[in-house]
Amino acid sequence: MSGNIKVYNFMGLRKLATIFSLLLLLVSIGSLATRGLNLGLDFTGGSLVELGYEKEANLNDIRSQLNAAGFEGAVVQTFGAPTDILIRLGSDHDPKLGDKVLAALQQDGGQNIELRRNEFVGAQVGEELREQGGLGMLLALFMIMLYVAFRFQFKFSVGAVVALGHDVLIVVGFFSLFQIEFDLTVLAAVLAVIGYSLNDTIVVADRIRENFRKLRKETSMEIMNISLSQTLSRTLITSITTLLVLVALAMFGGEMIHGFAIALLVGVTVGTYSSIYVAANALIMMGICKEDLIPPPKDDQEAVDELP
Amino acid sequence: MLNRYPLWKNLLILFVLLIGALYASPNLYPEDYAVQLSGNRDIHQVDQPLMDTVTSALKREGLVYKEVELTSKSGLIRFADGEAQLKAKQIISSVLGDNYVVALNLAPTTPEWLESIGAGPMKLGLDLRGGVHFLLEVDMATAVAQRLDVYVSEIKVKLRQDKLRYRSVTHREDGSLEVKFADAATRDKAQSLIRKDYTEFLLQTEDTDKGNFLIVTLTEQTTRSIEDYAIKQNLTTLRNRVNELGVAEPLVQRQGRNRIVVQLPGVQDAAAAKRIIGKTANLEFRLEAKPDASRGLTDTYEFRNEPGRRGVLEKDIIITGSSVSNAQSTFDENGQPQVSITLDSKGGQLMGRTTRNAIKRRMAVLFVEHKARTLIETVDGEQVERRVPYVEKKIISLATIQSVLGSSFRITGLDGGGESSELALLLRAGALAAPVYFVEERTVGPSLGAENIAQGVTSVQIGFALVLIFMLAIYRVFGLLANIALCINLVLLVAVMSLLSATLTLPGIAGIVLTVGMAVDANVLIFARIKEELKNGLPPQSAISAGFDRAFTTIFDANITTLIAAVILFSMGTGPVKGFAITLSVGIVTSMFTAILVTRALVNLTYGNRQLKSLSI
């Protein structure tokens, strides 16, 4: 049945792919270890005020005004548009902080400023969210491993989890390398990447299982190539449609959702690559063979006999 | 072979689609700017005469309203725009005064026949609508300590009644009580007495050269139930307070063991909301101590508005704010703010009994507030924030009792009109059982919310259009069918979200975008299979059938695992992230339905009934 589809020699490149993956992982882990993540307010705790100016705002002026008003150590940056200013303060909680910052900046009377957003997260809440987020990710991986082991076979579940870990690390590493703010919505995106990448991996695994049962003469390596070639067009088309909407989200969805869109863009791209190379590669490395996947002969008589 | 669905299957799919369209439709009706009126006590009902007063006041001011509705509990007046709504609120508040709550609201314009079948639009999250979100932490240590105080006095009374002489009853640092006795024999008697009456204590004895001690510790279960009680009591009080604030559709909910979430859509003045919500204010009424009273029976407090001036009061409390059944802020004959207080029957009796023997003496009103200082400490090289709670009690007024006080009287000596109405509100809504601290606060302005919606909708539209074009280019006729299924998927997704009255947030919209991108996956899988089967030489009808059948397990496995990730996201996520998890999960389920059943039905209708030589796929 494979005769009608062009079979690409994916596994011929598996050594190269392994090196490439290791390189990406090394950069990710290295960056995480040295630079860490630029954690957002959700995880660090602190205060944040977003202001809307009528005309383009001068960041240096704002900084000096804030310093003069006693808000020291404030981080001032634009948020999406040059008229939109984000101010982060590590200070204690003060319910009127937003209004105070607004009042301090309005003193020069130049233009109307609007308080768009005012957030405060306690240090402890941030810490709890960090822990919870990490735990949630581990739990998701574990549950998925369990399901795949139950529906497929143990080696497949290891392959799937290796691919997922690979994707998650690279996405998080990307955020660390470019120091893009990592907040709660980005964490949600990372979990969505887990879901997406898994979807891809399962489709490939499903075909591998089917082919192991159907094709008798081919080697494991050949079966991998056939399966990956058969699913290639689907993998690409789905990735493209998903990437299309993500590009739309990144370009038109606004600043608050930008990190989310970036995480998914990176995640879907890496997920597509990993479902082709990482999962299948891991299966080969674990020495997957026909015996792993042929359903055990159902011999009820024997089972009854074994009972004492 | 031919591919045909039995009639019942086609009808079933059609039925689901119609129901979906029906329940999604309320989202097409734009919301009205409205002002909602409700009475804050049962005696202040909103009725037709009241509404007439309000509408005539609006007419006098030249404000145009769209519609007036009256339900059993509240009235609703709709306006054409936000400006009229804000003006109207001011006018109505000044007409009705303190006894009615006037709140800004966005009223759905769902037609009645749709409402009658339970259909309504999706709720918008705070990030889309604007508003305030608070996360409060209840101070459990204080809640338990307060209960221990009660036990201290109970134990003292009990021991005195049984003529068991004790030296002292004191708190220990670890949260237990220690009762000191002169000898071990008395201690043992006391132990068996207390053991008999209190199952909630763990009792231990301790003999040192300092004396014979009985250590009283609360059982884990008792501590838990005190905590539960404190949370429940606080929830009730917070709900009362939020209702008094006049917010439409507020949310007050427990989160975890010791936290409470408060969400106030549409509220802009976070500081004012916060002052009222977080205030653990209470009142105590006490007599001024007689000049010859011994110092052990008195407490000295500062005056609230006159720093430096002090008053000496008796330790005994006549009543606290919890005996107050109603409180109104008014002005006295000199135009000074005052609070008229009505007590419940028990409070009235206590007040009457005490004041009867205290004519011409002075009575003080103490304002009690739980506060906290935040200290930054360095522990193991790390900066740790620690909150140190403390209670501040200050005298509001100290006035001579002219006659026996009954169940209603007035408090004067307040700072201004604002303070008196705030105090009245707090007394009406009740005191918090334990102090609360704000651990998270998020305010989103209405313009940012509107911008978020606009950007979200734009990105959904553009993403959606791109996917439709792409699918059409790749799969032609089959692509068109998949596109129809995708549109239906979007309608069903909105319908289910509306039916669940799930909250739509900005990440939720992102979830919809993602669902649109991923929903075609199932169709792609099926179509890829059909193409493959065609290449393998199967005739078109068999290829269609085989394609759908073979792709099914793959689609199922792939979607279940994504669903697992979504469910975990839901269980650990808060607010906006939960919104994302909901849209993702609902999207997975609806897309499986549309991609498998709806597309199949469409393919069957297009191709199923005739012999085919080739397929456009």
Side-chain angles (χ1 to χ4, degrees):
Chain A
M1 71 165 282
S2 60
N4 296 313
I5 282 180
K6 187 173 177 353
V7 175
Y8 300 92
N9 185 13
F10 287 107
M11 288 297 104
L13 291 172
R14 69 192 197 89
K15 296 230 166 72
L16 207 67
T18 312
I19 292 169
F20 179 63
S21 284
L22 284 178
L23 209 69
L24 283 181
L25 286 176
L26 219 62
V27 172
S28 295
I29 294 170
S31 172
L32 280 171
T34 54
R35 299 160 68 98
L37 277 172
N38 174 14
L39 288 176
L41 185 77
D42 296 329
F43 298 112
T44 58
S47 294
L48 173 156
V49 178
E50 190 186 326
L51 302 172
Y53 279 73
E54 281 178 325
K55 297 186 291 271
E56 201 167 310
N58 185 327
L59 291 184
N60 283 327
D61 285 357
I62 295 176
R63 280 189 198 109
S64 56
Q65 280 171 30
L66 284 176
N67 264 331
F71 296 104
E72 276 159 28
V75 179
V76 182
Q77 62 196 75
T78 55
F79 194 66
T83 50
D84 202 353
I85 300 296
L86 195 71
I87 300 166
R88 277 183 71 163
L89 294 151
S91 70
D92 278 349
H93 188 210
D94 176 351
K96 289 178 184 146
L97 188 73
D99 294 331
K100 279 185 187 164
V101 169
L102 199 62
L105 291 177
Q106 257 168 350
Q107 261 169 10
D108 65 341
Q111 41 175 313
N112 260 327
I113 311 171
E114 178 202 7
L115 180 64
R116 287 162 66 89
R117 186 154 62 106
N118 182 9
E119 295 189 357
F120 158 79
V121 177
Q124 211 203 330
V125 175
E127 195 185 314
E128 279 171 26
L129 271 178
R130 275 207 302 273
E131 273 170 28
Q132 248 182 23
L135 270 179
M137 212 128 60
L138 288 180
L139 185 67
L141 286 177
F142 178 75
M143 296 289 289
I144 285 160
M145 196 162 160
L146 222 60
Y147 181 80
V148 177
F150 163 74
R151 285 285 295 175
F152 290 80
Q153 197 257 342
F154 178 66
K155 284 179 187 170
F156 275 93
S157 79
V158 175
V161 169
V162 167
L164 290 182
H166 171 267
D167 299 348
V168 168
L169 263 176
I170 289 173
V171 173
V172 177
F174 183 88
F175 272 74
S176 160
L177 195 64
F178 294 97
Q179 290 289 300
I180 307 170
E181 192 174 299
F182 194 94
D183 59 18
L184 211 55
T185 55
V186 176
L187 181 72
V190 171
L191 278 157
V193 166
I194 291 183
Y196 178 86
S197 156
L198 191 77
N199 198 314
D200 253 12
T201 309
I202 297 258
V203 171
V204 174
D206 204 53
R207 193 52 82 96
I208 292 173
R209 174 174 63 180
E210 186 184 324
N211 284 338
F212 262 112
R213 287 177 183 166
K214 202 153 60 184
L215 308 173
R216 296 285 162 176
K217 275 177 281 177
E218 284 80 353
T219 64
S220 298
M221 207 78 97
E222 280 166 339
I223 287 179
M224 291 294 164
N225 281 334
I226 292 168
S227 309
L228 289 171
S229 304
Q230 283 170 337
T231 50
L232 182 69
S233 83
R234 175 264 156 195
T235 307
L236 291 181
I237 290 175
T238 301
S239 294
I240 289 171
T241 56
T242 312
L243 288 174
L244 279 177
V245 293
L246 288 174
V247 168
L249 195 62
M251 284 173 63
F252 306 103
E255 201 59 29
M256 278 176 81
I257 210 76
H258 201 70
F260 177 92
I262 296 288
L264 272 165
L265 274 173
V266 176
V268 168
T269 313
V270 178
T272 307
Y273 157 80
S274 81
S275 65
I276 296 177
Y277 280 103
V278 180
N281 208 343
L283 283 175
I284 295 277
M285 283 180 185
M286 283 183 287
I288 188 108
C289 57
K290 287 191 173 58
E291 286 70 42
D292 288 333
L293 291 166
I294 306 288
K298 280 188 187 151
D299 202 339
D300 292 1
Q301 192 57 44
E302 203 175 310
V304 172
D305 282 347
E306 274 174 13
L307 289 171
Chain B
M1 79 179 272
L2 296 174
N3 280 306
R4 253 183 286 184
Y5 265 171
L7 185 64
W8 68 266
K9 220 166 178 176
N10 280 328
L11 285 179
L12 185 73
I13 291 171
L14 198 66
F15 180 69
V16 172
L17 297 189
L18 286 177
I19 294 281
L22 193 65
Y23 278 92
S25 63
N27 293 290
L28 294 174
Y29 296 93
E31 285 177 320
D32 270 342
Y33 293 94
V35 171
Q36 192 182 322
L37 313 175
S38 48
N40 62 14
R41 290 280 127 180
D42 289 340
I43 45 167
H44 300 299
Q45 292 284 352
V46 175
D47 47 18
Q48 196 54 51
L50 183 90
M51 294 306 274
D52 291 342
T53 322
V54 169
T55 48
S56 61
L58 289 177
K59 276 181 196 146
R60 237 186 352 260
E61 300 282 336
L63 259 183
V64 184
Y65 53 89
K66 274 168 75 180
E67 210 183 328
V68 179
E69 284 162 47
L70 187 65
T71 60
S72 60
K73 281 200 155 170
S74 66
L76 193 76
I77 307 174
R78 295 167 183 267
F79 297 93
D81 54 59
E83 208 178 317
Q85 179 198 30
L86 287 176
K87 244 191 235 162
K89 190 196 167 188
Q90 278 174 2
I91 295 169
I92 298 171
S93 302
S94 65
V95 170
L96 296 184
D98 238 11
N99 291 330
Y100 295 89
V101 175
V102 183
L104 297 177
N105 197 355
L106 284 175
T109 49
T110 315
E112 242 168 69
W113 65 275
L114 272 175
E115 259 177 18
S116 65
I117 55 164
M122 281 185 279
K123 278 195 220 135
L124 294 184
L126 288 182
D127 52 349
L128 296 180
R129 187 171 174 180
V132 192
H133 160 107
F134 293 126
L135 185 62
L136 305 160
E137 193 167 290
V138 181
D139 187 348
M140 291 305 185
T142 306
V144 175
Q146 280 172 355
R147 180 68 71 89
L148 275 175
D149 280 341
V150 177
Y151 282 131
V152 168
S153 36
E154 277 186 29
I155 289 171
K156 282 181 179 170
V157 170
K158 187 120 228 132
L159 293 176
R160 255 184 254 147
Q161 273 172 359
D162 281 60
K163 309 242 158 44
L164 293 170
R165 288 181 63 95
Y166 61 91
R167 290 272 169 80
S168 64
V169 184
T170 45
H171 287 275
R172 280 191 164 190
E173 287 239 336
D174 62 354
S176 56
L177 298 174
E178 80 178 21
V179 192
K180 190 178 173 186
F181 295 92
D183 54 79
T186 320
R187 196 264 324 278
D188 292 343
K189 268 188 216 154
Q191 186 182 5
S192 58
L193 178 74
I194 292 172
R195 176 167 294 146
K196 203 173 66 203
D197 284 5
Y198 293 95
T199 48
E200 58 263 55
F201 291 152
L202 291 173
L203 299 174
Q204 278 169 302
T205 55
E206 215 175 271
D207 294 313
T208 60
D209 47 352
K210 284 186 196 141
N212 303 93
F213 294 99
L214 182 64
I215 311 295
V216 180
T217 319
L218 292 176
T219 59
E220 177 64 27
Q221 208 188 344
T222 313
T223 313
R224 271 293 163 92
S225 72
I226 292 173
E227 289 179 356
D228 270 352
Y229 175 80
I231 282 262
K232 280 196 194 115
Q233 193 67 30
N234 274 2
L235 276 174
T236 312
T237 306
L238 287 174
R239 285 205 183 104
N240 287 339
R241 288 186 183 180
V242 165
N243 287 341
E244 293 274 348
L245 271 177
V247 180
E249 295 170 49
L251 173 93
V252 180
Q253 214 171 52
R254 181 176 187 169
Q255 180 178 307
R257 188 169 163 185
N258 60 349
R259 297 215 173 116
I260 294 174
V261 183
V262 177
Q263 288 192 346
L264 312 174
V267 168
Q268 292 315 314
D269 190 354
K274 204 166 167 172
R275 214 169 46 236
I276 306 262
I277 286 170
K279 209 154 216 176
T280 42
N282 201 350
L283 290 184
E284 286 178 7
F285 296 84
R286 300 196 198 187
L287 286 177
E288 190 183 31
K290 288 178 182 156
D292 54 347
S294 83
R295 279 192 55 204
L297 297 173
T298 63
D299 287 319
T300 305
Y301 295 108
E302 211 173 39
F303 274 70
R304 196 149 176 259
N305 299 328
E306 293 164 76
R309 188 179 161 202
R310 280 160 206 286
V312 183
L313 307 183
E314 284 187 356
K315 262 206 162 70
D316 286 332
I317 300 165
I318 309 170
I319 52 161
T320 66
S322 55
S323 303
V324 173
S325 66
N326 196 7
Q328 296 293 325
S329 139
T330 50
F331 293 93
D332 66 9
E333 49 278 17
N334 303 322
Q336 289 301 307
Q338 61 179 18
V339 178
S340 307
I341 288 182
T342 313
L343 299 178
D344 57 18
S345 60
K346 201 176 154 210
Q349 276 172 22
L350 284 169
M351 187 53 92
R353 201 182 303 158
T354 312
T355 49
R356 194 169 301 136
N357 306 322
I359 307 263
K360 296 297 167 204
R361 280 182 69 185
R362 294 204 289 181
M363 185 175 74
V365 182
L366 262 182
F367 192 76
V368 185
E369 236 180 320
H370 287 271
K371 293 184 165 178
R373 286 182 205 96
T374 310
L375 296 180
I376 308 278
E377 289 180 341
T378 311
V379 179
D380 303 330
E382 255 188 273
Q383 295 244 315
V384 183
E385 274 183 40
R386 199 161 70 94
R387 270 193 306 266
V388 185
Y390 64 97
V391 182
E392 195 184 85
K393 295 189 181 182
K394 287 194 171 159
I395 298 172
I396 300 181
S397 75
L398 185 60
T400 311
I401 301 166
Q402 301 294 353
S403 59
V404 179
L405 293 178
S407 57
S408 66
F409 56 93
R410 295 170 306 175
I411 300 176
T412 51
L414 297 153
D415 233 356
E419 194 181 48
S420 65
S421 60
E422 224 176 274
L423 180 64
L425 190 159
L426 288 171
L427 284 171
R428 278 199 302 269
L432 292 169
V436 293
Y437 305 106
F438 288 82
V439 289
E440 196 183 297
E441 177 191 337
R442 289 169 200 270
T443 312
V444 175
S447 66
L448 182 62
E451 205 177 292
N452 282 340
I453 294 186
Q455 286 174 332
V457 170
T458 311
S459 52
V460 170
Q461 284 169 342
I462 294 175
F464 196 64
L466 288 174
V467 171
L468 293 186
I469 294 168
F470 183 77
M471 287 297 282
L472 206 58
I474 298 249
Y475 290 115
R476 276 157 290 179
V477 178
F478 276 80
L480 180 70
L481 301 180
N483 285 345
I484 296 173
L486 190 59
C487 296
I488 292 172
N489 179 32
L490 209 57
V491 173
L492 286 184
L493 175 62
V494 172
V496 174
M497 295 274 297
S498 308
L499 252 178
L500 295 175
S501 35
T503 308
L504 187 69
T505 60
L506 188 60
I509 294 183
I512 295 180
V513 176
L514 192 64
T515 308
V516 168
M518 288 170 64
V520 293
D521 179 55
N523 279 135
V524 173
L525 272 168
I526 294 165
F527 297 163
R529 265 292 178 168
I530 295 177
K531 266 187 173 174
E532 237 177 77
E533 301 298 343
L534 285 173
K535 277 190 187 160
N536 286 336
L538 279 183
Q541 293 293 3
S542 316
I544 290 174
S545 172
F548 273 100
D549 290 345
R550 296 226 172 123
F552 179 75
T553 48
T554 317
I555 295 170
F556 186 78
D557 278 335
N559 281 306
I560 288 292
T561 40
T562 313
L563 206 56
I564 292 176
V567 168
I568 289 171
L569 200 58
F570 180 79
S571 61
M572 55 157 267
T574 56
V577 174
K578 258 199 169 112
F580 171 68
I582 291 173
T583 44
L584 197 62
S585 324
V586 174
I588 289 166
V589 176
T590 55
S591 74
M592 269 172 77
F593 172 79
T594 52
I596 298 170
L597 286 172
V598 176
T599 320
R600 179 85 196 250
L602 290 170
V603 170
N604 285 354
L605 289 174
T606 319
Y607 289 111
N609 285 323
R610 53 201 161 102
Q611 293 301 324
L612 296 167
K613 292 250 160 55
S614 65
L615 280 178
S616 164
I617 190 167

